[in-house]
Amino acid sequence: MTANPAALTIREPDDWHLHLRDDAMLALAADITARQFARAIVMPNLLPPVTTVAAAEAYRDRILAALPQGRRFTPLMTAYLTDEIDPDEIETGFEKDVFTACKLYPAGATTNSASGVTDVARIYRVLERMEKIGMPLLVHGEVVSPDIDIFDREAVFLETVLTPVLRDFPALKVVLEHITTADSVQFVQDAGPTLAATITAHHLRIDRNALFEGGLRPHAYCLPVAKRRRHRTALRQAAISGNPKFFLGTDSAPHLKHDKESACGCAGIFSAPVALESYTLTFDEEGALDRLEAFASEFGPRFYGLPLNEGTITLHRESQTVPEIVTQGDLAVVPFHAGETLGWRAAERG
Ligand code: NCD
Ligand code: ZN
Ligand code: ZN
């Protein structure tokens, strides 16, 4: 590859961590993601959460119905683990190809996690079953104790929850979602091949200063919250390293503009409109455009045991100004990079 290619064509990517929401927001979010990604792991944190095979099938149908005619896109559904979840329901969903994975939200850790797991010991029977049938566990890796500093919650989770789970279920495939710390990078590198991690576009670009730049910046707020610059540096190094344990997961998480710009603003960054451009910008800055394809389009499916996509998508070195706001009917959402001019533009998938 030349140093500054005018365009870059890669195998079609997938998004291994995505929030599509429901109803009117789904109508906005589904098409935007499907312009860039062929498949996505769809998070189950709806209200009420997706805990049954029937609910996941119905949600999958709503996602497909929300796409414009002819748009190829495969939603990969997940089950939301609760203290009461039934291992048989999980296994049935996996065998029927409805559930691709299960999601562990520690209760109270993030958006719509109130029905999440209060103590991982309570889901050991499900984890045992998942290990047996080869079903991946996806984790929001933060402890929730108010005594633990919010910037330390991910690092403490590694020690107090993830380490025992990996020890007790050595064959269970686990994805540590949206990692934000050098500690997680190191932990994933040191663990066996059953552990991988997703990295968002925004954690590769912002550090915690972004939350306070000239005033309080609700659109830079997500969970896990962005950390110090040195952590961002470690994430960038992991993403471009060529280590197949690190792959793309945007965690694009739309919230209405007025729900973010509030006295108690919601956590989540809506990166879907320019997700691929944002990753490309980062890889370009790091002189690693030649590693983008593996990170975006190969390591994820290999970890999940799924085929690679056949099609391609082209990124052009062209400037585009990101809109201040994305709307659909009455809905208004502020995208990541709002108002910025980016040096890359992704062509729409066919
Ligand atoms: C996500 C959301 O809004 O659903 N928010 C976020 O800040 N990442 C939930 C999550 O992924 O933790
Ligand atoms: Zn999360
Ligand atoms: Zn998420």
Side-chain angles (χ1 to χ4, degrees), residues 26-39:
L26 170 60
L28 177 148
D31 181 38
I32 288 177
T33 282
R35 287 178 202 169
Q36 303 198 330
F37 296 98
R39 294 173 290 198

Side-chain angles (χ1 to χ4, degrees), residues 6-36:
L8 176 66
T9 297
I10 61 169
R11 186 186 290 280
E12 279 186 328
D14 304 303
D15 185 349
W16 299 96
H17 181 130
L18 175 68
H19 300 270
L20 285 177
R21 314 300 193 205
D22 215 340
D23 305 315
M25 189 67 99
L26 170 60
L28 177 148
D31 181 38
I32 288 177
T33 282
R35 287 178 202 169
Q36 303 198 330

Side-chain angles (χ1 to χ4, degrees), residues 112-134:
N112 295 348
S113 62
S115 325
V117 173
T118 60
D119 178 350
V120 76
R122 294 187 189 244
I123 57 162
Y124 260 38
R125 278 186 336 118
V126 188
L127 300 185
E128 213 173 283
R129 187 74 65 89
M130 291 167 64
E131 179 182 43
K132 192 167 140 221
I133 63 180

Side-chain angles (χ1 to χ4, degrees), residues 17 19 21 45 105 110-111 140 178 222-223 251 253 255 267-268:
H17 181 130
H19 300 270
R21 314 300 193 205
N45 61 332
Y105 290 103
T110 187
T111 306
H140 179 107
H178 48 42
C222 65
L223 288 168
D251 191 21
H255 290 278

Side-chain angles (χ1 to χ4, degrees), residues 182-196:
D183 313 65
S184 288
V185 169
Q186 187 71 47
F187 189 94
V188 172
Q189 280 168 348
D190 292 348
T194 56
L195 181 66

Side-chain angles (χ1 to χ4, degrees), residues 211-270:
L211 285 154
F212 308 106
E213 213 182 297
L216 200 53
R217 298 286 184 171
H219 298 291
Y221 175 55
C222 65
L223 288 168
V225 70
K227 309 295 192 295
R228 288 179 183 277
R229 178 58 64 105
R230 74 176 177 88
H231 294 287
R232 193 195 78 162
T233 303
L235 295 174
R236 282 183 166 229
Q237 277 160 6
I240 66 163
S241 67
N243 183 337
K245 291 171 142 237
F246 299 102
F247 48 83
L248 184 157
T250 64
D251 191 21
S252 176
H255 290 278
L256 294 174
K257 182 173 187 286
H258 66 77
D259 289 337
K260 297 275 302 171
E261 298 171 5
S262 142
C264 186
C266 295
I269 294 180
F270 182 46

